[in-house]
Amino acid sequence: MVDYHAANNQQYTAEGTPIYMEQENDWDRDLLLDPAWEKQQRKTFTAWCNSHLRKAGTQIDSIEEDFRDGLKLMLLLEVISGERLPKPERGKMRVHKINNVNKALDFIASKGVKLVSIGAEEIVDGNAKMTLGMIWTIILRFAIQDISVDETSAKEGLLLWCQRKTAPYKNVNVQNFHISWKDGLAFNALIHRHRPELIDYDKLRKDDPLTNLNNAFEVAEKYLDIPKMMDAEDIVNTARPDEKAIMTYVSSFYHAFSGAQKAETAANRICKVLAVNQENEHLMEDYEKLASDLLEWIRRTIPWLENRAPEKTMAEMQQKLEDFRDYRRVHKPPKVQEKCQLEINFNTLQTKLRLSNRPAFMPSEGRMVSDINGSWHALEGAEKGYEEWLLNEIRRLERLDHLAEKFRQKATIHEAWTDGKEAMLTQKDYATATLSEVKALLRKHEAFESDLAAHQDRVEQIAAIAQELNELDYYDSPSVNARCQNICEQWDSLGSLTQNRRESLERTEKQLESIDELYLEYAKRAAPFNNWMEGAMEDLQDMFIVHNIEEIQGLITAHEQFKSTLPDANKEREAIQAIQAEVQKIAQHNGINLSGTNPYTSITPESIDSKWEKVQRLVPQRDQALQEELAKQQSNDHLRRQFATQANMVGPWIQTKMEEIGRISIEMNGTLEDQLTHLREYEQSIIEYKPHIDRLEGDHQLIQEALIFDNKYTAYTMEHLRVGWEQLLTTIARTINEIDNQILTRDAKGISQEQLHEYRTSFNHFDKDHSGALMAEEFKACLISLGYDVENNKQKRLGQMPTEEYRALLISTGNSLGDAEFARIMGIVDPNSSGAVTFQAFIDFMSRETTDTDTADQVIASFKILAGDKNFITAEELRRELPADQAEYCIARMAPYGGPDGVPGALDYMSFSTALYGESDL
């Protein structure tokens, strides 16, 4: 429907005459002298008047006759203006008619229209030319004057509109309102441009104007509610069609299509707003799901990492360590990426909400980024403690296995030594022995006591090892304790029996005098030597555990020292064997019948030689074992150096990259796109460095498999480097996200590169510690330096002073922000009251203060257009004007309209629009 209620935006010439009046002044001259033109105008103006009078339930048949009494003329003016005219006079006399026409002319004049040579008498007298002139003036004022296209209005604006709408069509070149329309293609092009389904333009021919015109007139009357105002034959048969008739008819097309254009614009605005809202809701749902999944994974993982139930064997603990390595290599890295992506999605969502003037997104309770970071820190704490516990447990079990094996070896040797000793000590062989035999038994007993004393150290070692196994919570401690208890009880028993036998032998000794000194000397020297050999064999077979080259080299040195004593030991062995040989020589020389064995000792020369040969065999075996362990420790040392070399290169590289990223985020080299490109290239270079990290992980795995627990060649641990690498990847991703958000803010708010540069320069100027955030006082100083005026809520400069001079002037004169206003601003830029303002929050605030965004009022106005100026809208109207998915979105969320002017099914679009911007609950 045509809107004739617009304000009077009349344009004037240099002489002060309205532009349309210049066109009107030509009316009563030569133009109306052409009968063809007068015929066209009469028909066109009549149809135009009837198109409006029809709304009042009436019409005219003759334009010069039906307006003579002024009644229908006044009715026409009321319909097209929307205003009430003075009450008409109903009399039939001439004076009544003149008065009615004068009321109509006065109303026209009140709208700024200067009527030239048109009086009420001419209209009452039925003067056709004057009546047509008056109607043309009305058409100019109420149908054409308010047309405005790109700062042009009235005729020029209408012509420009026609040119733009028909520009893409072949054979159409609108330059005027007469011959440009003669072939009918321009009319068809206008209809096809707005309603392409009504006309098949490609089938029209330029050489068939009559068909073209009739087609356009019929389609306009049937589908566009534009009455047929001209005859095709009149246009075709006239050399130059009437300009005013063409303009009148074309203006009807303009008004018919302008309403559809407004509805389209309103629908587009609503679609844009709803699309943003739907996208934001989708992002919120994605965040909630990703956050829930990540928190659930952390919740399941922490109890596993906090489980400190020890295993009994090294194999079981090694399996736990392998499970932990799989967690580090396989399960955790994807979760690190999910956490980083979660933070990026959250920041992007908040930026989009701010840019679309929506309330900030508040995740569900327990799913804030801070909650996720807290859970992640708890996970890393449990992870660190679990790794330390695993390594300590492995060391403990390794130590326990070593001690248990050592205990078993010593206990076996001791039990083998004590086997039969109780029976020997309890026998009564001295009761029937001769003196020499008794003395021999006594000496033998003395040798046994010497041997017993020598074994005291071994018993104490066995007890000490058992005690240490108990203290280290060895899983098989009961059996160890039982065996140790048996050894100690047996040892005490041997001590008592030894003492009892000595007393018995000493009582018998007084009666026995003959003692073989050589046997005694042999026994005394053979016993310690035999004990030395048993100790040597025990030491040569003793297990050892070392952790570095120095320790194994110490064992090798001790072994070399032991080997250096072998020549002296061999001499002692030969001396002992010489004693036995001397006994045999004397016995043979004196014809003594020996009993066959040394009465003072059970150690035979054969046993000494056998043990000596065993010592000789064990020495090279010990050499081989020590050399193999030396090679192992040298290999371990190589692994340490290999890891240290790589770690000492990777560690500083990560630190350098972190510092460079910090500098890039502060410096402003080039546009945001240049910075983003630079950062992405930088990120790619970091990703390409990943093989170094993988190589380091491989070296670290070799070190762990070799059970290497220290490294003196580097201060870096794999854990430190992993954390540094993860922080580096997270930092570059966050920095890129910040630049993306700045570009998003700039494009959405229309901020220029120079404004962004000025904002960044001011921000960096007051960011003294280069932390990337401003404290409250720094932020206040930064706002002042940018000329932010609290009183008027806008930025301004003093004259044309440069920024640096203006900043210095504001600070030197003590100009400051008001407390209440500054508190409001801090509430916007620092909603969490952290006391710091990031650059993103700062630029969001500045863009909000300096640019326009969609508002709830604008959306309400758009819905009002779609609703036909009603305070409510129906589901049918929404489905007709909006895409299907967005129409259903509105219908599902709009509350029923409760106003008195509502109809069944009416929906409240006002509360829905305000809810979109957080001003009420949706």
Side-chain angles (χ1 to χ4, degrees):
M1 180 176 180
V2 182
D3 181 8
Y4 295 102
H5 301 172
N8 184 7
N9 296 322
Q10 177 60 52
Q11 300 181 7
Y12 293 87
T13 65
E15 294 76 19
T17 302
I19 292 176
Y20 58 80
M21 283 307 304
E22 291 187 328
Q23 301 166 346
E24 181 187 357
N25 290 340
D26 299 332
W27 179 266
D28 54 347
R29 297 296 180 262
D30 298 332
L31 299 182
L32 287 179
L33 300 179
D34 188 333
W37 284 14
E38 182 177 345
K39 178 183 178 183
Q40 293 177 18
Q41 289 177 8
R42 187 187 303 274
K43 181 167 186 175
T44 300
F45 291 177
T46 299
W48 183 85
C49 291
N50 284 334
S51 68
H52 295 289
L53 289 173
R54 190 186 314 128
K55 300 171 187 176
T58 186
Q59 65 178 18
I60 61 172
D61 297 319
S62 173
I63 198 167
E64 65 270 22
E65 291 295 327
D66 292 345
F67 285 144
R68 292 180 62 185
D69 61 1
L71 295 177
K72 290 187 177 181
L73 178 59
M74 293 179 68
L75 182 60
L76 173 65
L77 291 174
E78 286 185 345
V79 171
I80 63 178
S81 68
E83 300 179 21
R84 296 290 297 178
L85 271 69
K87 185 176 181 180
E89 297 179 9
R90 295 296 179 178
K92 301 295 183 178
M93 299 178 63
R94 178 179 175 82
V95 65
H96 296 143
K97 296 179 181 180
I98 291 175
N99 290 339
N100 288 338
V101 173
N102 277 327
K103 290 177 181 179
L105 296 179
D106 291 341
F107 178 80
I108 295 173
S110 70
K111 298 302 179 181
V113 179
K114 183 180 179 182
L115 297 172
V116 179
S117 303
I118 299 177
E121 291 78 7
E122 286 85 356
I123 304 301
V124 172
D125 293 337
N127 187 316
K129 291 182 174 61
M130 293 299 104
T131 302
L132 290 174
M134 177 189 65
I135 297 302
W136 172 241
T137 302
I138 293 173
I139 293 172
L140 277 176
R141 173 59 185 85
F142 292 99
I144 299 177
Q145 175 187 332
D146 293 331
I147 295 175
S148 178
V149 179
D150 286 356
E151 299 182 354
T152 62
S153 61
K155 177 181 179 180
E156 291 77 13
L158 182 61
L159 182 62
L160 180 59
W161 178 79
C162 294
Q163 290 171 341
R164 288 188 175 179
K165 295 298 181 180
T166 60
Y169 294 85
K170 63 181 181 179
N171 297 325
V172 177
N173 183 18
V174 177
Q175 298 296 326
N176 49 56
F177 288 104
H178 36 82
I179 60 174
S180 295
W181 303 83
K182 193 172 181 180
D183 59 9
L185 291 178
F187 288 104
N188 284 277
L190 280 179
I191 298 173
H192 184 270
R193 181 64 180 269
H194 294 89
R195 297 288 300 276
E197 75 278 7
L198 299 179
I199 289 179
D200 189 354
Y201 185 84
D202 293 333
K203 291 184 177 180
L204 301 177
R205 296 180 9 244
K206 186 175 180 63
D207 58 356
D208 190 6
L210 199 61
T211 300
N212 297 340
L213 288 167
N214 283 324
N215 180 67
F217 296 166
E218 291 170 1
V219 169
E221 186 174 33
K222 183 176 181 180
Y223 297 103
L224 303 179
D225 199 24
I226 300 175
K228 184 178 180 181
M229 299 183 183
M230 304 181 71
D231 289 328
E233 293 79 5
D234 293 340
I235 297 175
V236 173
N237 297 329
T238 304
R240 185 172 182 266
D242 179 66
E243 183 179 56
K244 294 177 176 59
I246 297 293
M247 284 179 63
T248 301
Y249 196 16
V250 171
S251 68
S252 298
F253 283 87
Y254 173 87
H255 290 297
F257 291 134
S258 63
Q261 186 172 358
K262 290 179 182 178
E264 180 182 357
T265 302
N268 289 339
R269 177 183 292 275
I270 293 174
C271 290
K272 174 185 174 184
V273 171
L274 295 179
V276 170
N277 220 54
Q278 290 171 315
E279 180 183 2
N280 291 341
E281 289 181 358
H282 180 68
L283 290 175
M284 293 175 190
E285 293 171 358
D286 287 349
Y287 174 89
E288 290 284 343
K289 183 179 185 306
L290 191 58
S292 297
D293 293 346
L294 183 59
L295 287 170
E296 177 60 20
W297 178 81
I298 294 174
R299 185 190 65 77
R300 294 195 313 269
T301 305
I302 288 180
W304 174 68
L305 294 173
E306 291 177 343
N307 181 17
R308 298 294 188 271
E311 302 295 343
K312 295 180 178 180
T313 65
M314 276 287 290
E316 292 172 329
M317 287 307 297
Q318 287 284 6
Q319 183 58 47
K320 277 197 170 186
L321 182 60
E322 187 61 31
D323 293 341
F324 182 72
R325 288 173 183 159
D326 286 341
Y327 158 79
R328 276 276 182 76
R329 293 191 303 262
V330 178
H331 302 293
K332 184 182 177 184
K335 300 303 177 182
V336 173
Q337 294 298 321
E338 288 181 14
K339 177 177 176 293
C340 178
Q341 188 61 44
L342 190 70
E343 295 177 1
I344 291 174
N345 291 351
F346 181 83
N347 293 334
T348 301
L349 174 59
Q350 296 293 43
T351 299
K352 288 186 176 181
L353 289 172
R354 286 193 297 270
L355 294 178
S356 60
N357 206 20
R358 267 60 167 189
F361 169 57
M362 289 297 293
S364 302
E365 183 177 358
R367 295 189 177 94
M368 295 287 291
V369 173
S370 58
D371 297 329
I372 295 172
N373 286 334
S375 298
W376 190 264
H377 290 156
L379 174 73
E380 292 181 334
E383 176 182 324
K384 182 178 180 182
Y386 187 71
E387 184 178 26
E388 293 174 354
W389 175 78
L390 281 176
L391 296 177
N392 290 334
E393 273 300 296
I394 290 174
R395 293 190 189 100
R396 186 181 70 83
L397 289 176
E398 186 181 33
R399 173 68 176 163
L400 284 174
D401 287 348
H402 172 69
L403 288 175
E405 182 61 26
K406 191 171 184 178
F407 173 85
R408 286 189 290 270
Q409 281 190 358
K410 289 185 177 294
T412 300
I413 294 172
H414 176 77
E415 289 165 348
W417 178 84
T418 59
D419 184 35
K421 293 296 189 290
E422 290 184 354
M424 181 195 72
L425 292 172
T426 56
Q427 65 183 343
K428 304 294 185 180
D429 54 339
Y430 54 85
T432 59
T434 63
L435 179 61
S436 60
E437 289 174 341
V438 170
K439 286 189 177 184
L441 289 174
L442 185 59
R443 300 298 182 269
K444 181 179 180 180
H445 189 70
E446 290 176 353
F448 173 77
E449 286 180 328
S450 177
D451 196 13
L452 187 67
H455 279 79
Q456 178 67 34
D457 289 340
R458 181 179 289 114
V459 174
E460 292 175 356
Q461 290 175 6
I462 291 173
I465 292 173
Q467 179 65 27
E468 188 172 358
L469 287 171
N470 278 291
E471 292 174 354
L472 293 176
D473 195 24
Y474 181 54
Y475 78 95
D476 200 21
S477 292
S479 65
V480 170
N481 292 336
R483 192 172 185 182
C484 181
Q485 182 66 26
N486 292 335
I487 291 173
C488 292
E489 290 176 356
Q490 186 185 39
W491 184 255
D492 292 338
S493 175
L494 287 176
S496 298
L497 293 174
T498 300
Q499 181 64 26
N500 295 335
R501 183 172 177 81
R502 181 174 181 80
E503 292 174 354
S504 299
L505 288 173
E506 287 177 347
R507 286 193 300 268
T508 307
E509 184 184 19
K510 296 178 181 180
Q511 304 170 4
L512 301 175
E513 297 177 349
S514 181
I515 300 297
D516 190 342
E517 293 295 336
L518 288 175
Y519 271 149
L520 181 60
E521 182 180 359
Y522 175 90
K524 287 183 177 181
R525 295 183 68 173
F529 184 75
N530 183 70
N531 190 59
W532 174 87
M533 286 193 298
E534 289 179 349
M537 288 188 295
E538 181 179 347
D539 291 338
L540 289 171
Q541 297 178 87
D542 189 19
M543 294 180 63
F544 57 84
I545 180 171
V546 295
H547 298 94
N548 52 56
I549 292 178
E550 289 77 13
E551 292 179 0
I552 188 60
Q553 287 176 341
L555 290 178
I556 292 174
T557 301
H559 184 61
E560 294 297 326
Q561 292 175 352
F562 166 77
K563 290 196 295 184
S564 68
T565 65
L566 290 179
D568 292 336
N570 190 41
K571 290 180 181 179
E572 178 66 10
R573 182 188 65 83
E574 291 174 348
I576 294 172
Q577 297 292 46
I579 294 174
Q580 181 66 23
E582 184 65 21
V583 169
Q584 294 294 338
K585 181 179 178 181
I586 295 173
Q588 291 176 2
H589 181 72
N590 296 297
I592 300 174
N593 186 17
L594 299 175
S595 62
T597 59
N598 192 326
Y600 303 110
T601 181
S602 62
I603 301 172
T604 65
E606 292 77 15
S607 68
I608 291 177
D609 287 338
S610 175
K611 291 179 180 179
W612 178 256
E613 289 173 1
K614 187 173 182 180
V615 169
Q616 293 293 88
R617 292 195 304 270
L618 290 173
V619 168
Q621 293 177 8
R622 184 73 168 184
D623 283 333
Q624 181 179 357
L626 291 172
Q627 290 302 321
E628 289 175 353
E629 184 62 29
L630 176 62
K632 176 183 175 183
Q633 291 303 322
Q634 288 174 340
S635 174
N636 290 351
D637 197 65
H638 172 72
L639 290 177
R640 289 187 183 96
R641 293 177 182 272
Q642 179 174 304
F643 176 85
T645 300
Q646 190 71 6
N648 291 336
M649 176 182 69
V650 171
W653 182 87
I654 291 176
Q655 182 62 32
T656 299
K657 294 302 178 183
M658 290 290 289
E659 294 171 357
E660 289 177 356
I661 292 173
R663 288 197 301 271
I664 292 174
S665 65
I666 292 175
E667 295 171 355
M668 299 172 293
N669 296 325
T671 64
L672 290 177
E673 285 77 8
D674 294 339
Q675 296 176 36
L676 184 60
T677 300
H678 186 196
L679 282 172
R680 293 198 186 282
E681 293 173 352
Y682 208 84
E683 182 185 38
Q684 185 60 36
S685 70
I686 291 174
I687 294 173
E688 291 173 355
Y689 198 80
K690 183 64 164 56
H692 295 273
I693 304 298
D694 296 338
R695 177 183 172 188
L696 202 59
E697 287 283 5
D699 294 343
H700 179 64
Q701 182 171 352
L702 293 176
I703 284 178
Q704 287 192 321
E705 291 172 352
L707 299 179
I708 300 172
F709 305 110
D710 55 28
N711 195 336
K712 65 182 179 180
Y713 301 109
T714 181
Y716 293 102
T717 66
M718 195 64 230
E719 178 62 26
H720 294 157
L721 294 174
R722 285 194 195 103
V723 172
W725 177 252
E726 292 170 358
Q727 289 178 347
L728 179 61
L729 293 178
T730 301
T731 301
I732 188 64
R734 286 175 177 168
T735 304
I736 290 175
N737 180 248
E738 288 177 0
I739 298 300
D740 278 329
N741 287 340
Q742 290 179 28
I743 292 175
L744 190 61
T745 302
R746 182 200 65 190
D747 295 342
K749 299 297 185 178
I751 300 175
S752 68
Q753 186 66 33
E754 290 76 18
Q755 285 178 301
L756 279 176
H757 182 78
E758 182 181 20
Y759 294 158
R760 172 54 86 178
T761 301
S762 298
F763 187 93
N764 289 346
H765 175 77
F766 291 97
D767 185 15
K768 303 299 184 183
D769 57 355
H770 302 294
S771 63
L774 300 180
M775 296 299 103
E777 290 303 316
E778 293 175 339
F779 176 61
K780 178 186 287 188
C782 185
L783 285 181
I784 293 173
S785 72
L786 288 170
Y788 187 84
D789 186 344
V790 180
E791 300 300 326
N792 297 313
N793 283 329
K794 62 183 181 179
Q795 296 183 25
K796 62 183 181 180
R797 304 267 180 171
L798 295 179
Q800 299 299 321
M801 294 177 64
T803 302
E804 293 298 326
E805 292 182 20
Y806 179 68
R807 181 186 297 122
L809 178 60
L810 286 174
I811 296 174
S812 64
T813 57
N815 189 3
S816 62
L817 297 175
D819 292 340
E821 175 62 8
F822 185 70
R824 180 191 72 82
I825 294 173
M826 285 301 294
I828 295 173
V829 299
D830 184 23
N832 296 325
S833 300
S834 63
V837 180
T838 64
F839 180 68
Q840 186 61 43
F842 169 73
I843 197 173
D844 285 344
F845 170 75
M846 295 306 297
S847 64
R848 191 193 333 246
E849 294 295 318
T850 58
T851 60
D852 294 331
T853 58
D854 288 334
T855 65
D857 290 340
Q858 292 176 326
V859 176
I860 290 173
S862 298
F863 272 117
K864 195 175 185 71
I865 292 175
L866 296 186
D869 213 29
K870 301 190 296 293
N871 292 327
F872 59 85
I873 193 168
T874 64
E876 290 74 17
E877 290 171 331
L878 287 172
R879 291 190 179 100
R880 183 178 67 246
E881 300 294 345
L882 300 180
D885 60 331
Q886 295 186 341
E888 298 304 323
Y889 179 85
C890 292
I891 294 169
R893 287 163 173 76
M894 283 187 182
Y897 178 70
D901 54 341
V903 298
L907 300 174
D908 186 355
Y909 62 78
M910 294 186 182
S911 60
F912 172 76
S913 300
T914 55
L916 287 177
Y917 289 85
E919 299 177 13
S920 66
D921 293 332
L922 181 57

